Amino acid sequence: MTISGKAKLAGVMGWPVGHSRSPRLHNRWLDQYGIDGAYVPLAVAPERAEQAIRALPALGFRGCNVTVPLKEIAYRSVDRLDETARRIGAVNTIVVAEDGALVGGNTDGFGFLENLRAECPEWNGGEGGSQGGGHGPAVVIGAGGAARAVVVALLDAGIPEVRLVNRTRARAEEMAADLARFDFAGRVVVVEWVSRETALDGAGLLVNTTTQGMAGQPALDLDLGALPVSALVNDIVYVPLETPLLAAARARGNPVASGIGMLLHQARPGFRAWFGVEPQVTPDLTRYVLEG
Ligand code: ATR
C-alpha cells in the first residue's frame, strides 16, 4: 500500500523504541484494511517527551501509542485523561480530539482482559457469573507499571479480591494504598514474598507481570502445588511464548494464556480511533508480529 500525501498518521513513542512490535502490527492492519495511513516509530528521549507529545496536533498526527519509559510523562502531558488512565496513573494511547486536545487513555488492562477472554472463553472471572472455571481470587505477581494496569482491569471487571505478591513488599503496599482511592479499598490484599505460595490457595487466576521467565532471565521461582487445577495461568512475558511458568501450569493441567495477545488486543482501541476501523486479532498475527 502506498502512502499518499493525505495519509493518516500515528506512531509509537518510546526510548528506545526499536524493539517495539507496534509498527509491524499497525502497518499490517493498515495494509489489510487498505487504509491510506502510516504508523511510525518515534524515538524520543524522556526530557523531550512532553514537547514531542504537545507537537502531535501541529504535525497532523491523529495520536500515538506511548511505551516505556514515557507512560507517566504522557500522563502528565495530555490535556484530558480517561478514567482508566487516571486509575492506572499512566497513558499508553493518545488521541487528538476534534478540538485539537490531547486525550490520554490506557488500553493495557483492556488488552490483558481481552486476551484472557479470547484464549480461555470459559474463564469468566469478573463477569459476575457462577458457572465455568476461573473463579476465586486473582493472584498477581509483581507491582510495576504492567501489574498496575492488570490489577485495575481485574478490579474494574468485578474480581472480588486481588492478591498482590511482590518481592519488594513496600511497592505492593503502595499500589494497594493508591488504588484504595478508587473505591477498591479492601479488594487488594498484599501477600509477603516469602509466603507467596499461600496466595495460590483457592485462586481462580494467576498472572505473572514480572520479568522473570523472559528469555535470558531465570524462571519465576514459584511452586504451583497449592494452585487449583481449574485456575487460569497467564504470563505477560511473551518471549518466549511458552515461559517456564506456562509450561509448568500446562503440565499439571491448568488452562493457560500466553502474553502476546495482550500486546495485540491493547492496540485495537488506538487503531480504531486513529484509522476508523475496528481491527481483528487473527491467529496469523502472533507469528507475523514476533518475526519482525
Ligand atoms: P514493568 O513496568 O514492566 O512492570 P518494573 O516497574 O521494572 O516493570 O517492574 C518489574 C517487576 O518485576 C517488579 O514487580 C519487580 O519486583 P521489585 O518491585 O521487587 O523490583 C519484579 N522483579 C524483577 N526482578 C525480579 C526477581 N528477580 N524476582 C522477583 N521479582 C522480580
Side-chain angles (χ1 to χ4, degrees):
M1 172 99 198
T2 321
I3 300 169
S4 83
K6 294 179 189 155
K8 297 169 180 166
L9 300 177
V12 55
M13 198 178 288
W15 187 257
V17 79
H19 64 279
S20 173
R21 313 278 171 169
S22 295
R24 228 174 133 74
L25 172 59
H26 283 269
N27 287 305
R28 168 89 165 201
W29 275 334
L30 286 170
D31 232 25
Q32 188 180 332
Y33 298 113
I35 296 168
D36 181 15
Y39 182 102
V40 294
L42 300 163
V44 176
E47 60 274 19
R48 305 188 75 175
E50 179 169 5
Q51 186 189 2
I53 289 167
R54 302 296 316 172
L56 288 168
L59 289 166
F61 273 65
R62 294 179 169 232
C64 72
N65 283 127
V66 182
T67 187
V68 181
L70 308 177
K71 292 182 184 184
E72 286 79 20
I73 298 173
Y75 175 85
R76 296 193 297 272
S77 303
V78 294
D79 299 308
R80 297 199 288 268
L81 290 165
D82 74 14
E83 190 51 33
T84 308
R86 198 184 307 279
R87 289 174 180 202
I88 296 173
V91 160
N92 83 331
T93 304
I94 297 174
V95 175
V96 178
E98 296 265 317
D99 61 358
L102 294 161
V103 182
N106 195 311
T107 66
D108 285 334
F110 166 83
F112 162 74
L113 279 183
E114 285 290 289
N115 180 42
L116 294 194
R117 289 175 179 143
E119 291 289 299
C120 189
E122 56 280 16
W123 181 80
N124 60 355
E127 295 292 338
S130 55
Q131 329 87 42
H135 289 282
V139 179
V140 175
I141 313 282
R148 187 150 170 143
V150 164
V151 171
V152 168
L154 290 171
L155 293 171
D156 267 338
I159 288 277
E161 181 184 309
V162 174
R163 297 174 183 164
L164 190 57
V165 188
N166 194 47
R167 180 181 58 177
T168 310
R169 185 187 170 110
R171 259 183 118 183
E173 295 283 7
E174 197 178 291
M175 194 200 297
D178 210 21
L179 292 178
R181 294 187 294 129
F182 300 105
D183 284 343
F184 294 148
R187 291 171 59 199
V188 181
V189 177
V190 175
V191 177
E192 287 283 354
W193 183 252
V194 287
S195 42
R196 57 196 176 281
E197 274 91 13
T198 63
L200 304 178
D201 192 24
L205 173 69
L206 167 65
V207 185
N208 172 47
T209 73
T210 76
T211 45
Q212 299 298 95
M214 195 181 275
Q217 297 279 337
L220 181 69
D221 180 14
L222 185 68
D223 181 340
L224 298 182
L227 186 71
V229 284
S230 60
L232 173 58
V233 180
N234 170 234
D235 202 324
I236 71 166
V237 168
Y238 57 83
V239 179
L241 265 183
E242 177 101 333
T243 61
L245 172 67
L246 294 186
R250 198 188 294 279
R252 66 195 290 281
N254 286 88
V256 301
S258 81
I260 185 69
M262 177 172 171
L263 171 78
L264 304 177
H265 287 281
Q266 65 76 34
R268 285 167 40 205
F271 189 91
R272 186 180 54 230
W274 307 317
F275 303 117
V277 171
E278 173 70 52
Q280 298 302 307
V281 170
T282 47
D284 57 301
L285 269 184
T286 298
R287 197 165 32 89
Y288 178 81
V289 166
L290 286 177
E291 269 170 4

PDB file of all heavy atoms in Angstrom, residues 149-180:
ATOM      1  N   ALA A 149      -1.776  -1.924  35.629  1.00  0.00           N
ATOM      2  CA  ALA A 149      -2.814  -1.991  34.591  1.00  0.00           C
ATOM      3  C   ALA A 149      -3.629  -3.279  34.740  1.00  0.00           C
ATOM      4  O   ALA A 149      -4.853  -3.276  34.595  1.00  0.00           O
ATOM      5  CB  ALA A 149      -2.177  -1.916  33.204  1.00  0.00           C
ATOM      6  N   VAL A 150      -2.948  -4.371  35.048  1.00  0.00           N
ATOM      7  CA  VAL A 150      -3.608  -5.674  35.211  1.00  0.00           C
ATOM      8  C   VAL A 150      -4.547  -5.653  36.425  1.00  0.00           C
ATOM      9  O   VAL A 150      -5.709  -6.078  36.347  1.00  0.00           O
ATOM     10  CB  VAL A 150      -2.535  -6.791  35.356  1.00  0.00           C
ATOM     11  CG1 VAL A 150      -3.119  -8.066  35.916  1.00  0.00           C
ATOM     12  CG2 VAL A 150      -1.863  -7.047  34.006  1.00  0.00           C
ATOM     13  N   VAL A 151      -4.058  -5.122  37.530  1.00  0.00           N
ATOM     14  CA  VAL A 151      -4.861  -5.102  38.759  1.00  0.00           C
ATOM     15  C   VAL A 151      -6.091  -4.213  38.582  1.00  0.00           C
ATOM     16  O   VAL A 151      -7.206  -4.591  38.946  1.00  0.00           O
ATOM     17  CB  VAL A 151      -3.999  -4.659  39.966  1.00  0.00           C
ATOM     18  CG1 VAL A 151      -4.863  -4.417  41.195  1.00  0.00           C
ATOM     19  CG2 VAL A 151      -2.929  -5.703  40.270  1.00  0.00           C
ATOM     20  N   VAL A 152      -5.912  -3.048  37.994  1.00  0.00           N
ATOM     21  CA  VAL A 152      -7.052  -2.142  37.766  1.00  0.00           C
ATOM     22  C   VAL A 152      -8.087  -2.816  36.864  1.00  0.00           C
ATOM     23  O   VAL A 152      -9.290  -2.757  37.121  1.00  0.00           O
ATOM     24  CB  VAL A 152      -6.582  -0.790  37.173  1.00  0.00           C
ATOM     25  CG1 VAL A 152      -7.762   0.021  36.656  1.00  0.00           C
ATOM     26  CG2 VAL A 152      -5.811   0.007  38.218  1.00  0.00           C
ATOM     27  N   ALA A 153      -7.625  -3.494  35.823  1.00  0.00           N
ATOM     28  CA  ALA A 153      -8.557  -4.176  34.908  1.00  0.00           C
ATOM     29  C   ALA A 153      -9.351  -5.247  35.648  1.00  0.00           C
ATOM     30  O   ALA A 153     -10.570  -5.370  35.456  1.00  0.00           O
ATOM     31  CB  ALA A 153      -7.791  -4.797  33.740  1.00  0.00           C
ATOM     32  N   LEU A 154      -8.677  -6.009  36.486  1.00  0.00           N
ATOM     33  CA  LEU A 154      -9.361  -7.081  37.222  1.00  0.00           C
ATOM     34  C   LEU A 154     -10.382  -6.513  38.201  1.00  0.00           C
ATOM     35  O   LEU A 154     -11.507  -7.007  38.309  1.00  0.00           O
ATOM     36  CB  LEU A 154      -8.335  -7.954  37.961  1.00  0.00           C
ATOM     37  CG  LEU A 154      -7.451  -8.828  37.063  1.00  0.00           C
ATOM     38  CD1 LEU A 154      -6.327  -9.471  37.879  1.00  0.00           C
ATOM     39  CD2 LEU A 154      -8.294  -9.923  36.389  1.00  0.00           C
ATOM     40  N   LEU A 155     -10.008  -5.452  38.905  1.00  0.00           N
ATOM     41  CA  LEU A 155     -10.928  -4.839  39.871  1.00  0.00           C
ATOM     42  C   LEU A 155     -12.116  -4.226  39.144  1.00  0.00           C
ATOM     43  O   LEU A 155     -13.265  -4.390  39.560  1.00  0.00           O
ATOM     44  CB  LEU A 155     -10.194  -3.785  40.702  1.00  0.00           C
ATOM     45  CG  LEU A 155      -9.102  -4.325  41.642  1.00  0.00           C
ATOM     46  CD1 LEU A 155      -8.302  -3.175  42.232  1.00  0.00           C
ATOM     47  CD2 LEU A 155      -9.713  -5.181  42.757  1.00  0.00           C
ATOM     48  N   ASP A 156     -11.841  -3.535  38.051  1.00  0.00           N
ATOM     49  CA  ASP A 156     -12.914  -2.925  37.263  1.00  0.00           C
ATOM     50  C   ASP A 156     -13.865  -3.991  36.717  1.00  0.00           C
ATOM     51  O   ASP A 156     -15.052  -3.748  36.557  1.00  0.00           O
ATOM     52  CB  ASP A 156     -12.331  -2.132  36.085  1.00  0.00           C
ATOM     53  CG  ASP A 156     -12.121  -0.665  36.442  1.00  0.00           C
ATOM     54  OD1 ASP A 156     -12.783  -0.184  37.384  1.00  0.00           O
ATOM     55  OD2 ASP A 156     -11.295  -0.018  35.786  1.00  0.00           O
ATOM     56  N   ALA A 157     -13.301  -5.153  36.391  1.00  0.00           N
ATOM     57  CA  ALA A 157     -14.124  -6.230  35.824  1.00  0.00           C
ATOM     58  C   ALA A 157     -14.928  -6.950  36.903  1.00  0.00           C
ATOM     59  O   ALA A 157     -15.710  -7.842  36.599  1.00  0.00           O
ATOM     60  CB  ALA A 157     -13.243  -7.226  35.074  1.00  0.00           C
ATOM     61  N   GLY A 158     -14.697  -6.603  38.154  1.00  0.00           N
ATOM     62  CA  GLY A 158     -15.522  -7.168  39.217  1.00  0.00           C
ATOM     63  C   GLY A 158     -14.917  -8.318  39.993  1.00  0.00           C
ATOM     64  O   GLY A 158     -15.613  -8.972  40.778  1.00  0.00           O
ATOM     65  N   ILE A 159     -13.628  -8.598  39.785  1.00  0.00           N
ATOM     66  CA  ILE A 159     -12.965  -9.636  40.585  1.00  0.00           C
ATOM     67  C   ILE A 159     -13.005  -9.189  42.052  1.00  0.00           C
ATOM     68  O   ILE A 159     -12.598  -8.066  42.362  1.00  0.00           O
ATOM     69  CB  ILE A 159     -11.494  -9.800  40.122  1.00  0.00           C
ATOM     70  CG1 ILE A 159     -11.435 -10.486  38.764  1.00  0.00           C
ATOM     71  CG2 ILE A 159     -10.648 -10.544  41.143  1.00  0.00           C
ATOM     72  CD1 ILE A 159     -11.510 -11.985  38.808  1.00  0.00           C
ATOM     73  N   PRO A 160     -13.532 -10.026  42.935  1.00  0.00           N
ATOM     74  CA  PRO A 160     -13.714  -9.558  44.311  1.00  0.00           C
ATOM     75  C   PRO A 160     -12.410  -9.318  45.077  1.00  0.00           C
ATOM     76  O   PRO A 160     -12.350  -8.439  45.933  1.00  0.00           O
ATOM     77  CB  PRO A 160     -14.523 -10.680  44.979  1.00  0.00           C
ATOM     78  CG  PRO A 160     -14.403 -11.863  44.074  1.00  0.00           C
ATOM     79  CD  PRO A 160     -14.072 -11.375  42.711  1.00  0.00           C
ATOM     80  N   GLU A 161     -11.372 -10.119  44.756  1.00  0.00           N
ATOM     81  CA  GLU A 161     -10.130  -9.964  45.522  1.00  0.00           C
ATOM     82  C   GLU A 161      -8.905 -10.220  44.653  1.00  0.00           C
ATOM     83  O   GLU A 161      -8.852 -11.203  43.917  1.00  0.00           O
ATOM     84  CB  GLU A 161     -10.122 -10.960  46.693  1.00  0.00           C
ATOM     85  CG  GLU A 161      -8.872 -10.855  47.558  1.00  0.00           C
ATOM     86  CD  GLU A 161      -8.851 -11.920  48.653  1.00  0.00           C
ATOM     87  OE1 GLU A 161      -9.856 -12.053  49.378  1.00  0.00           O
ATOM     88  OE2 GLU A 161      -7.833 -12.637  48.771  1.00  0.00           O
ATOM     89  N   VAL A 162      -7.950  -9.311  44.740  1.00  0.00           N
ATOM     90  CA  VAL A 162      -6.669  -9.498  44.062  1.00  0.00           C
ATOM     91  C   VAL A 162      -5.597  -9.648  45.135  1.00  0.00           C
ATOM     92  O   VAL A 162      -5.451  -8.792  46.003  1.00  0.00           O
ATOM     93  CB  VAL A 162      -6.325  -8.299  43.149  1.00  0.00           C
ATOM     94  CG1 VAL A 162      -4.918  -8.461  42.572  1.00  0.00           C
ATOM     95  CG2 VAL A 162      -7.346  -8.166  42.018  1.00  0.00           C
ATOM     96  N   ARG A 163      -4.883 -10.764  45.079  1.00  0.00           N
ATOM     97  CA  ARG A 163      -3.764 -10.984  45.996  1.00  0.00           C
ATOM     98  C   ARG A 163      -2.501 -10.540  45.287  1.00  0.00           C
ATOM     99  O   ARG A 163      -2.116 -11.121  44.264  1.00  0.00           O
ATOM    100  CB  ARG A 163      -3.687 -12.459  46.395  1.00  0.00           C
ATOM    101  CG  ARG A 163      -4.920 -12.917  47.149  1.00  0.00           C
ATOM    102  CD  ARG A 163      -4.890 -14.415  47.400  1.00  0.00           C
ATOM    103  NE  ARG A 163      -6.115 -14.842  48.070  1.00  0.00           N
ATOM    104  CZ  ARG A 163      -6.512 -16.119  48.145  1.00  0.00           C
ATOM    105  NH1 ARG A 163      -5.760 -17.079  47.605  1.00  0.00           N
ATOM    106  NH2 ARG A 163      -7.627 -16.432  48.765  1.00  0.00           N
ATOM    107  N   LEU A 164      -1.890  -9.530  45.839  1.00  0.00           N
ATOM    108  CA  LEU A 164      -0.739  -8.909  45.195  1.00  0.00           C
ATOM    109  C   LEU A 164       0.535  -9.362  45.891  1.00  0.00           C
ATOM    110  O   LEU A 164       0.688  -9.191  47.097  1.00  0.00           O
ATOM    111  CB  LEU A 164      -0.904  -7.388  45.292  1.00  0.00           C
ATOM    112  CG  LEU A 164       0.052  -6.518  44.495  1.00  0.00           C
ATOM    113  CD1 LEU A 164       0.004  -6.859  43.014  1.00  0.00           C
ATOM    114  CD2 LEU A 164      -0.323  -5.044  44.703  1.00  0.00           C
ATOM    115  N   VAL A 165       1.435  -9.969  45.102  1.00  0.00           N
ATOM    116  CA  VAL A 165       2.659 -10.527  45.649  1.00  0.00           C
ATOM    117  C   VAL A 165       3.839  -9.889  44.951  1.00  0.00           C
ATOM    118  O   VAL A 165       3.957  -9.987  43.726  1.00  0.00           O
ATOM    119  CB  VAL A 165       2.724 -12.057  45.408  1.00  0.00           C
ATOM    120  CG1 VAL A 165       3.899 -12.671  46.141  1.00  0.00           C
ATOM    121  CG2 VAL A 165       1.428 -12.743  45.804  1.00  0.00           C
ATOM    122  N   ASN A 166       4.694  -9.221  45.699  1.00  0.00           N
ATOM    123  CA  ASN A 166       5.861  -8.608  45.073  1.00  0.00           C
ATOM    124  C   ASN A 166       7.085  -8.824  45.949  1.00  0.00           C
ATOM    125  O   ASN A 166       6.994  -8.824  47.169  1.00  0.00           O
ATOM    126  CB  ASN A 166       5.628  -7.100  44.873  1.00  0.00           C
ATOM    127  CG  ASN A 166       6.647  -6.501  43.925  1.00  0.00           C
ATOM    128  OD1 ASN A 166       6.897  -7.060  42.863  1.00  0.00           O
ATOM    129  ND2 ASN A 166       7.259  -5.403  44.309  1.00  0.00           N
ATOM    130  N   ARG A 167       8.234  -9.026  45.276  1.00  0.00           N
ATOM    131  CA  ARG A 167       9.491  -9.221  46.011  1.00  0.00           C
ATOM    132  C   ARG A 167       9.692  -8.085  47.012  1.00  0.00           C
ATOM    133  O   ARG A 167      10.024  -8.314  48.166  1.00  0.00           O
ATOM    134  CB  ARG A 167      10.635  -9.281  44.990  1.00  0.00           C
ATOM    135  CG  ARG A 167      11.993  -9.482  45.580  1.00  0.00           C
ATOM    136  CD  ARG A 167      13.024  -9.502  44.488  1.00  0.00           C
ATOM    137  NE  ARG A 167      13.022  -8.279  43.683  1.00  0.00           N
ATOM    138  CZ  ARG A 167      13.864  -8.010  42.698  1.00  0.00           C
ATOM    139  NH1 ARG A 167      14.799  -8.904  42.384  1.00  0.00           N
ATOM    140  NH2 ARG A 167      13.807  -6.886  42.020  1.00  0.00           N
ATOM    141  N   THR A 168       9.490  -6.835  46.547  1.00  0.00           N
ATOM    142  CA  THR A 168       9.615  -5.683  47.437  1.00  0.00           C
ATOM    143  C   THR A 168       8.222  -5.337  47.952  1.00  0.00           C
ATOM    144  O   THR A 168       7.410  -4.748  47.236  1.00  0.00           O
ATOM    145  CB  THR A 168      10.211  -4.481  46.669  1.00  0.00           C
ATOM    146  OG1 THR A 168      11.390  -4.925  45.995  1.00  0.00           O
ATOM    147  CG2 THR A 168      10.545  -3.328  47.600  1.00  0.00           C
ATOM    148  N   ARG A 169       7.951  -5.706  49.181  1.00  0.00           N
ATOM    149  CA  ARG A 169       6.606  -5.556  49.727  1.00  0.00           C
ATOM    150  C   ARG A 169       6.121  -4.113  49.681  1.00  0.00           C
ATOM    151  O   ARG A 169       4.950  -3.850  49.392  1.00  0.00           O
ATOM    152  CB  ARG A 169       6.586  -6.065  51.174  1.00  0.00           C
ATOM    153  CG  ARG A 169       5.184  -6.029  51.738  1.00  0.00           C
ATOM    154  CD  ARG A 169       5.082  -6.357  53.219  1.00  0.00           C
ATOM    155  NE  ARG A 169       3.722  -6.058  53.650  1.00  0.00           N
ATOM    156  CZ  ARG A 169       2.831  -6.987  53.989  1.00  0.00           C
ATOM    157  NH1 ARG A 169       3.159  -8.243  53.993  1.00  0.00           N
ATOM    158  NH2 ARG A 169       1.617  -6.620  54.334  1.00  0.00           N
ATOM    159  N   ALA A 170       7.020  -3.154  49.952  1.00  0.00           N
ATOM    160  CA  ALA A 170       6.619  -1.746  50.025  1.00  0.00           C
ATOM    161  C   ALA A 170       5.946  -1.274  48.729  1.00  0.00           C
ATOM    162  O   ALA A 170       4.995  -0.493  48.759  1.00  0.00           O
ATOM    163  CB  ALA A 170       7.831  -0.879  50.337  1.00  0.00           C
ATOM    164  N   ARG A 171       6.424  -1.774  47.613  1.00  0.00           N
ATOM    165  CA  ARG A 171       5.843  -1.364  46.330  1.00  0.00           C
ATOM    166  C   ARG A 171       4.413  -1.864  46.189  1.00  0.00           C
ATOM    167  O   ARG A 171       3.541  -1.182  45.656  1.00  0.00           O
ATOM    168  CB  ARG A 171       6.677  -1.940  45.183  1.00  0.00           C
ATOM    169  CG  ARG A 171       7.612  -0.921  44.575  1.00  0.00           C
ATOM    170  CD  ARG A 171       8.329  -1.555  43.414  1.00  0.00           C
ATOM    171  NE  ARG A 171       8.017  -0.876  42.165  1.00  0.00           N
ATOM    172  CZ  ARG A 171       8.478  -1.285  40.989  1.00  0.00           C
ATOM    173  NH1 ARG A 171       9.241  -2.354  40.900  1.00  0.00           N
ATOM    174  NH2 ARG A 171       8.181  -0.615  39.901  1.00  0.00           N
ATOM    175  N   ALA A 172       4.180  -3.088  46.656  1.00  0.00           N
ATOM    176  CA  ALA A 172       2.827  -3.657  46.602  1.00  0.00           C
ATOM    177  C   ALA A 172       1.902  -2.882  47.544  1.00  0.00           C
ATOM    178  O   ALA A 172       0.759  -2.577  47.194  1.00  0.00           O
ATOM    179  CB  ALA A 172       2.866  -5.134  46.978  1.00  0.00           C
ATOM    180  N   GLU A 173       2.401  -2.547  48.729  1.00  0.00           N
ATOM    181  CA  GLU A 173       1.609  -1.785  49.708  1.00  0.00           C
ATOM    182  C   GLU A 173       1.237  -0.421  49.132  1.00  0.00           C
ATOM    183  O   GLU A 173       0.116   0.053  49.296  1.00  0.00           O
ATOM    184  CB  GLU A 173       2.408  -1.570  51.008  1.00  0.00           C
ATOM    185  CG  GLU A 173       2.729  -2.837  51.771  1.00  0.00           C
ATOM    186  CD  GLU A 173       1.528  -3.368  52.547  1.00  0.00           C
ATOM    187  OE1 GLU A 173       0.421  -2.837  52.389  1.00  0.00           O
ATOM    188  OE2 GLU A 173       1.720  -4.369  53.280  1.00  0.00           O
ATOM    189  N   GLU A 174       2.201   0.163  48.450  1.00  0.00           N
ATOM    190  CA  GLU A 174       1.974   1.492  47.872  1.00  0.00           C
ATOM    191  C   GLU A 174       0.858   1.425  46.812  1.00  0.00           C
ATOM    192  O   GLU A 174      -0.023   2.282  46.765  1.00  0.00           O
ATOM    193  CB  GLU A 174       3.289   1.955  47.241  1.00  0.00           C
ATOM    194  CG  GLU A 174       3.377   3.430  46.951  1.00  0.00           C
ATOM    195  CD  GLU A 174       4.754   3.751  46.361  1.00  0.00           C
ATOM    196  OE1 GLU A 174       5.758   3.655  47.094  1.00  0.00           O
ATOM    197  OE2 GLU A 174       4.815   4.067  45.162  1.00  0.00           O
ATOM    198  N   MET A 175       0.910   0.384  46.001  1.00  0.00           N
ATOM    199  CA  MET A 175      -0.116   0.239  44.962  1.00  0.00           C
ATOM    200  C   MET A 175      -1.492   0.027  45.587  1.00  0.00           C
ATOM    201  O   MET A 175      -2.489   0.643  45.188  1.00  0.00           O
ATOM    202  CB  MET A 175       0.210  -0.926  44.018  1.00  0.00           C
ATOM    203  CG  MET A 175      -0.642  -0.866  42.764  1.00  0.00           C
ATOM    204  SD  MET A 175      -0.793  -2.423  41.858  1.00  0.00           S
ATOM    205  CE  MET A 175       0.855  -2.736  41.364  1.00  0.00           C
ATOM    206  N   ALA A 176      -1.535  -0.839  46.589  1.00  0.00           N
ATOM    207  CA  ALA A 176      -2.817  -1.128  47.246  1.00  0.00           C
ATOM    208  C   ALA A 176      -3.384   0.143  47.877  1.00  0.00           C
ATOM    209  O   ALA A 176      -4.590   0.427  47.755  1.00  0.00           O
ATOM    210  CB  ALA A 176      -2.624  -2.216  48.293  1.00  0.00           C
ATOM    211  N   ALA A 177      -2.535   0.935  48.515  1.00  0.00           N
ATOM    212  CA  ALA A 177      -2.989   2.168  49.177  1.00  0.00           C
ATOM    213  C   ALA A 177      -3.494   3.160  48.132  1.00  0.00           C
ATOM    214  O   ALA A 177      -4.527   3.809  48.308  1.00  0.00           O
ATOM    215  CB  ALA A 177      -1.855   2.765  49.994  1.00  0.00           C
ATOM    216  N   ASP A 178      -2.784   3.232  47.041  1.00  0.00           N
ATOM    217  CA  ASP A 178      -3.145   4.154  45.984  1.00  0.00           C
ATOM    218  C   ASP A 178      -4.496   3.777  45.349  1.00  0.00           C
ATOM    219  O   ASP A 178      -5.352   4.617  45.106  1.00  0.00           O
ATOM    220  CB  ASP A 178      -2.026   4.091  44.933  1.00  0.00           C
ATOM    221  CG  ASP A 178      -1.887   5.403  44.221  1.00  0.00           C
ATOM    222  OD1 ASP A 178      -2.325   6.420  44.775  1.00  0.00           O
ATOM    223  OD2 ASP A 178      -1.358   5.392  43.097  1.00  0.00           O
ATOM    224  N   LEU A 179      -4.672   2.478  45.122  1.00  0.00           N
ATOM    225  CA  LEU A 179      -5.914   2.016  44.485  1.00  0.00           C
ATOM    226  C   LEU A 179      -7.115   2.150  45.416  1.00  0.00           C
ATOM    227  O   LEU A 179      -8.261   2.236  44.958  1.00  0.00           O
ATOM    228  CB  LEU A 179      -5.761   0.568  44.003  1.00  0.00           C
ATOM    229  CG  LEU A 179      -4.786   0.388  42.838  1.00  0.00           C
ATOM    230  CD1 LEU A 179      -4.655  -1.076  42.465  1.00  0.00           C
ATOM    231  CD2 LEU A 179      -5.259   1.187  41.623  1.00  0.00           C
ATOM    232  N   ALA A 180      -6.861   2.207  46.720  1.00  0.00           N
ATOM    233  CA  ALA A 180      -7.954   2.356  47.683  1.00  0.00           C
ATOM    234  C   ALA A 180      -8.682   3.684  47.461  1.00  0.00           C
ATOM    235  O   ALA A 180      -9.842   3.841  47.852  1.00  0.00           O
ATOM    236  CB  ALA A 180      -7.408   2.271  49.107  1.00  0.00           C
TER     237      ALA A 180
END
